[in-house]
Amino acid sequence: RRCGAADEAFFREAMASPAAAETERESRRRLSYGTAGFRREGSTLIGVAFRCGMLAAVRSIALQGRATGLVVTASHNPVEDNGVKLVDGDGGMLHMSWEKHAEAIVSAQNAVDLEQVVLRILAKEEVNLMGGERAGTVLLALDTRPTGPRLVSAAMAGIRAAGAAVVGSEDTLRTTP
């Protein structure tokens, strides 16, 4: 339930108006996750970064606390483009079985849908949080694109909302894959 409440608060604060929030929500409905993560014009990825932060945290918790990563990058694309890419606990690409989870969590249309998606992921991946939450850790990196710091801030909010620790910040410039 914490994820749903945090989601509502994040979108209420991050979007300039209810109309902007609706436009952003609708735009996430058609995104697909590929080997390059989620990619498009950087200023339109705020909600995607927040939700991917949540998923990176859930993935870390599912891996018994092994760190996962979230990278904001779009290396060879035009400067206005950006991307959000998840890194698995072994340092490689997000496991293919989790790509559909990424699409589901990003496309959830409201807080109730998001809570249901997170519960389905936890059940499918057999993550049991009973008896106390497992700690998770998400490492962050970004490139030099102008939208990077804002996207990392959104990702950090999602990571914390899901109960994981964040390693990195809006100025954690790293070489990205």
Side-chain angles (χ1 to χ4, degrees):
R1 296 191 200 289
R2 177 173 57 195
C3 287
D7 189 68
E8 284 180 349
F10 175 80
F11 283 100
R12 192 172 39 254
E13 292 172 19
M15 298 297 135
S17 68
E22 179 65 18
T23 299
E24 193 282 338
R25 182 183 65 77
E26 280 295 317
S27 75
R28 285 185 283 111
R29 192 183 297 248
R30 296 173 291 282
L31 281 178
S32 60
Y33 191 92
T35 56
F38 292 109
R39 294 233 185 271
R40 65 181 186 189
E41 200 272 316
S43 66
T44 68
L45 286 168
I46 301 301
V48 171
F50 177 77
R51 297 279 185 83
C52 282
M54 285 185 167
L55 186 67
V58 170
R59 179 64 172 150
S60 178
I61 293 165
L63 294 171
Q64 280 96 41
R66 193 167 7 148
T68 58
L70 187 146
V71 180
V72 175
T73 183
S75 17
H76 304 294
N77 294 350
V79 71
E80 62 276 358
D81 286 354
N82 222 321
V84 178
K85 186 175 188 176
L86 298 169
V87 180
D88 221 338
D90 62 2
M93 293 174 23
L94 179 66
H95 193 277
M96 285 179 60
S97 66
W98 279 71
E99 289 181 9
K100 290 295 180 199
H101 296 330
E103 291 172 356
I105 206 166
V106 163
S107 66
Q109 294 296 291
N110 56 50
V112 173
D113 289 349
L114 175 65
E115 288 175 6
Q116 292 172 348
V117 167
V118 171
L119 289 173
R120 279 194 302 270
I121 293 168
L122 293 173
K124 181 171 179 67
E125 301 300 330
E126 300 177 351
V127 178
N128 183 355
L129 298 178
M130 298 305 288
E133 293 189 34
R134 298 182 199 171
T137 302
V138 180
L139 309 173
L140 294 174
L142 72 151
D143 64 11
T144 58
R145 308 235 169 201
T147 52
R150 186 163 183 225
L151 295 176
V152 167
S153 289
M156 290 169 61
I159 294 162
R160 289 184 179 126
V166 175
V167 177
S169 69
E170 295 90 342
D171 58 358
T172 305
L173 192 61
R174 303 234 190 266
T175 303
T176 57

